[in-house]
Amino acid sequence: MATFKLTDEIIEQIEMFIEEKRNRELISLFEEMHYADIAEIINELDVDQAIYIIRLIGKDKTADIITELDEEFRDKIFEKLSAKEIADELIELDTDDAADIISDLPEERKTEIISYIEDVEHAKDIVDLLRYDEDTAGGLMAKELVKVNENWNVLKCVKEMREQAEFVKRVHSIYVVDDNDVLKGRLSLKDLLTTSTRSNVKDIYIPKVDYVYVTDSAEDVAHIMSKYDLEAIPVVDEMKRLVGRITIDDVVDVIKEEAEKDYQLAAGITHDVEADDSIWKLTKARLPWLLIGMFGGLGAASIINGFQDAMNNFPILLIFIPLIQATAGNVGVQSSAIIVQGLANNSIDSQLWGRLLKEFMLGLINGLAIAAIVILVSHFLFEADYMVSTTVAVALVTVIVNAAIIGTFIPIFLHKRGIDPAVATGPFITTSNDVLGILIYFSIAKIVLGF
């Protein structure tokens, strides 16, 4: 399938069709188009134009389109749609998507919309899902699934599955429960097709099944499904009763959101923001780390000021300050980035001393290699004497080892205390290593050069 590419010409054409109310052309244009592509188009229109298209296209397609819209833009659309119109869209969605869409609406508006949903069971399931925190398995799950009782025979099992499957867009698994809805296992479609219709489900189902509890975090769910390559996973309550299922598309969204959050934290942005957010919101997200960087810079400047004698006697030391700071910051960020990534995907454990020893050795090897090059460059390019070159080389090795240890220690330390280790990368590590790097540099210079 060719990838859809949105262009200014397409937007202009659609805006012209809307203005001239050329509904046939609009319907024809959207007929073969994927709902995600239509959502991409609608995001570029104004609210009134978006509502015009939503009301024009059948709700069996617009329901999926709404799930793909930018959240802020969707909220603006909902402000102009009636509660009945929104309810008509939600009835076409799986319960998890419906709950996600209305979860952030005011309580009065939410209650009004739910009251218009004609399918009582569907409405009840949505209300049930709204009770869970969005960052838990309960907040991710959908109520739609296919389950069979262990006491049924295969004939009854098939009959019941046909009825249940009408409400499930895609059947990933068939879950087996007892009379109390406690999850017992899963049923293989192959076994179902190759077994006598008089056989009981309890004799053919597979008791081994991965599952999560409603209170498990979304990150834990994503890790389990990623590790075991699951397309769907059942969700159970504290009594192990089957209450829903989570599909891979919901987990992909979690992984994407977590990656975006970690990337922003690593860049020194403390809140979840978008490029088109208000200046005030962007300022609040960025300013804290910029202030930390500023105070770090002032700290480094204060340290340099404290070594005025060194500046007067060995002005050549100033030349290597950017080298010391840049190297310290880069090594720290490299070390912390590897640790944070490993902690995030559970590819490494959080054993502190083993990791510190490994980073110490790695920093020592890298430091010695860089120091050897710097000795040659400082002597031949900057004409520094032997003692100054030795000072810079020793300082570099020490700074690199120190930065590697700090870049390893801080993420693991934060992780052990339940704090997102992503905050350890970026400005935090860079600033701390800049300050310590300068202190180490001039302290070693004082020892070696004796000023």
Side-chain angles (χ1 to χ4, degrees):
M1 182 177 70
T3 303
F4 173 79
K5 185 176 181 180
L6 183 61
T7 63
D8 292 338
E9 289 75 17
I10 293 176
I11 296 297
E12 290 172 2
Q13 182 186 38
I14 290 172
E15 288 177 335
M16 180 186 69
F17 285 166
I18 293 173
E19 185 179 354
E20 298 176 1
K21 292 184 169 46
R22 294 163 63 176
N23 294 345
R24 285 188 178 180
E25 284 89 340
L26 283 170
I27 292 173
S28 176
L29 180 66
F30 293 135
E31 192 172 13
E32 300 299 326
M33 196 176 289
H34 192 276
Y35 63 83
D37 296 331
I38 300 176
E40 185 179 359
I41 292 171
I42 292 177
N43 281 327
E44 299 299 318
L45 304 176
D46 62 40
V47 175
D48 291 332
Q49 291 171 333
I51 291 174
Y52 185 91
I53 292 176
I54 288 172
R55 286 173 172 164
L56 180 67
I57 306 175
K59 64 182 180 181
D60 57 329
K61 194 167 189 174
T62 54
D64 289 324
I65 293 171
I66 286 174
T67 63
E68 297 292 329
L69 294 176
D70 292 338
E71 289 186 19
E72 290 187 7
F73 188 58
R74 184 172 63 211
D75 290 342
K76 292 178 182 178
I77 292 173
F78 278 10
E79 288 176 4
K80 293 195 174 186
L81 288 177
S82 69
K84 177 70 166 60
E85 287 176 310
I86 298 173
D88 288 343
E89 300 292 346
L90 297 186
I91 196 66
E92 300 294 329
L93 293 173
D94 285 343
T95 48
D96 59 330
D97 291 328
D100 286 343
I101 286 176
I102 66 171
S103 60
D104 294 327
L105 296 178
E107 287 300 322
E108 288 186 12
R109 180 72 161 164
K110 200 184 301 181
T111 302
E112 185 183 11
I113 291 169
I114 292 173
S115 69
Y116 278 105
I117 298 178
E118 296 178 357
D119 187 329
V120 177
E121 285 300 317
H122 194 70
K124 182 181 176 183
D125 287 341
I126 293 173
V127 171
D128 187 40
L129 292 180
L130 289 171
R131 296 189 296 110
Y132 298 104
D133 188 294
E134 63 180 356
D135 293 324
T136 63
L140 285 177
M141 72 179 181
K143 289 288 190 175
E144 292 83 2
L145 50 77
V146 175
K147 65 180 180 179
V148 296
N149 191 292
E150 63 177 345
N151 297 314
W152 293 347
N153 60 35
V154 170
L155 186 61
K156 182 176 181 180
C157 179
V158 172
K159 179 183 177 183
E160 294 289 337
M161 284 170 53
R162 286 174 178 171
E163 293 181 6
Q164 294 178 36
E166 292 181 14
F167 305 100
V168 183
K169 289 184 179 179
R170 186 177 178 186
V171 178
H172 294 89
S173 299
I174 305 164
Y175 303 115
V176 180
V177 297
D178 64 13
D179 293 334
N180 295 315
D181 258 357
V182 172
L183 180 65
K184 306 296 290 186
R186 58 190 173 88
L187 191 59
S188 163
L189 185 59
K190 178 182 178 181
D191 292 340
L192 192 64
L193 294 174
T194 58
T195 304
S196 168
T197 56
R198 292 187 296 273
S199 300
N200 287 327
V201 171
K202 66 170 59 177
D203 296 325
I204 61 173
Y205 80 83
I206 303 167
K208 186 181 184 310
V209 58
D210 296 303
Y211 61 88
V212 293
Y213 288 96
V214 287
T215 53
D216 287 345
S217 71
E219 289 182 34
D220 288 341
V221 175
H223 170 67
I224 292 171
M225 294 188 69
S226 174
K227 181 178 181 179
Y228 299 111
D229 293 325
L230 303 176
E231 290 188 356
I233 192 167
V235 183
V236 299
D237 64 12
E238 294 79 1
M239 298 175 64
K240 207 184 171 185
R241 292 176 300 187
L242 181 63
V243 292
R245 63 158 186 168
I246 297 172
T247 53
I248 190 64
D249 57 317
D250 298 314
V251 169
V252 168
D253 291 338
V254 171
I255 295 172
K256 180 182 175 183
E257 289 172 7
E258 188 62 25
E260 289 174 350
K261 184 180 75 172
D262 287 348
Y263 181 80
Q264 289 183 345
L265 285 173
I269 298 175
T270 54
H271 300 285
D272 186 15
V273 293
E274 301 289 345
D276 56 356
D277 283 339
S278 67
I279 292 177
W280 173 240
K281 187 174 181 180
L282 291 170
T283 299
K284 288 194 298 180
R286 298 181 186 184
L287 188 58
W289 283 115
L290 294 178
L291 290 174
I292 289 175
M294 180 198 73
F295 285 114
L298 291 174
S302 177
I303 291 171
I304 295 172
N305 186 56
F307 287 93
Q308 284 295 334
D309 291 343
M311 299 297 97
N312 295 331
N313 297 326
F314 301 95
I316 194 173
L317 292 175
L318 285 169
I319 296 175
F320 299 100
I321 289 177
L323 172 65
I324 296 293
Q325 288 185 310
T327 305
N330 289 337
V331 171
V333 169
Q334 283 182 344
S335 298
S336 61
I338 293 297
I339 298 300
V340 169
Q341 184 183 35
L343 292 172
N345 57 30
N346 290 327
S347 62
I348 66 170
D349 56 37
S350 55
Q351 294 300 313
L352 182 59
W353 296 112
R355 286 287 156 186
L356 288 178
L357 179 61
K358 184 174 183 179
E359 284 299 322
F360 172 82
M361 296 303 299
L362 185 59
L364 185 62
I365 294 171
N366 289 334
L368 290 172
I370 294 174
I373 297 172
V374 169
I375 286 176
L376 295 175
V377 172
S378 63
H379 181 71
F380 291 106
L381 183 61
F382 299 108
E383 299 182 351
D385 62 33
Y386 172 75
M387 294 302 290
V388 171
S389 297
T390 301
T391 296
V392 176
V394 173
L396 265 175
V397 174
T398 309
V399 164
I400 288 174
V401 171
N402 176 74
I405 291 175
I406 289 177
T408 303
F409 173 79
I410 292 179
I412 294 177
F413 176 82
L414 295 175
H415 179 71
K416 283 179 174 290
R417 278 150 185 78
I419 302 172
D420 192 336
V423 302
T425 58
F428 186 85
I429 288 292
T430 303
T431 302
S432 60
N433 280 324
D434 280 352
V435 176
L436 288 174
I438 291 298
L439 180 60
I440 291 170
Y441 176 45
F442 281 105
S443 297
I444 290 176
K446 185 175 182 178
I447 294 171
V448 176
L449 300 175
F451 51 82

